[in-house]
Amino acid sequence: MIRALYTVLGSIALALGVLGIFLPLLPTTPFLLLAVFCYARGSRRLHVWLMSHRVLGPYIRDFQSGRGIPLRSKCLAMALMWPSLALSAWIMPVPWARWLLLIPGIGVTIYLWRLPTRPRGGPPESDDQINFE
């Protein structure tokens, strides 16, 4: 029963993490890390699948190992986040609430730039170095 609950929570976290790739105010990394945590306790098959995923796997492994994220990913996140926040502020009907959008924007910007940046020549961890145990 507990394993099934972890698997369901992991799937919800994964869905929110994937949505966070496209929605500027929804964080991707914490949800992906939560999904890995839940899958490790609920479903070994899903844990291995997520950790070896072609796109998400290297991102999660690099983050967990402290290797950071590529500069290109940081720049892309900023390039998508700030215009989305500006559009949201422009659409928002309550003028004083527009300024509140600066709080998550500045917070995410500081967080991203404080993360280690993976060196340009540093390839993601290869599949033969993955330890799923």
Side-chain angles (χ1 to χ4, degrees):
M1 181 75 166
I2 297 296
R3 291 175 54 98
L5 180 62
Y6 273 122
T7 302
V8 169
L9 289 175
S11 298
I12 292 169
L14 177 61
L16 290 172
V18 170
L19 278 175
I21 294 170
F22 306 102
L23 300 174
L25 295 179
L26 193 61
T28 300
T29 304
F31 284 121
L32 291 179
L33 295 175
L34 179 61
V36 168
F37 173 84
C38 290
Y39 283 163
R41 281 146 185 79
S43 170
R44 176 161 173 76
R45 182 180 58 84
L46 289 173
H47 180 259
V48 169
W49 170 79
L50 184 55
M51 292 299 289
S52 61
H53 189 272
R54 182 179 60 87
V55 175
L56 301 176
Y59 179 76
I60 294 168
R61 289 190 306 272
D62 285 347
F63 187 87
Q64 285 182 332
S65 68
R67 293 178 59 199
I69 61 174
L71 182 60
R72 182 177 184 272
S73 296
K74 288 182 179 186
C75 293
L76 183 61
M78 296 296 161
L80 293 173
M81 180 183 65
W82 282 106
S84 297
L85 287 173
L87 178 65
S88 298
W90 184 65
I91 293 172
M92 184 167 293
V94 183
W96 63 267
R98 293 176 183 158
W99 294 101
L100 293 178
L101 291 174
L102 287 174
I103 295 170
I106 292 170
V108 169
T109 299
I110 291 170
Y111 174 76
L112 280 175
W113 288 111
R114 291 189 70 196
L115 279 176
T117 302
R118 190 173 71 213
R120 185 174 179 91
E125 197 174 290
S126 67
D127 289 340
D128 58 340
Q129 296 173 335
I130 300 172
N131 182 9
F132 294 117
E133 301 196 26

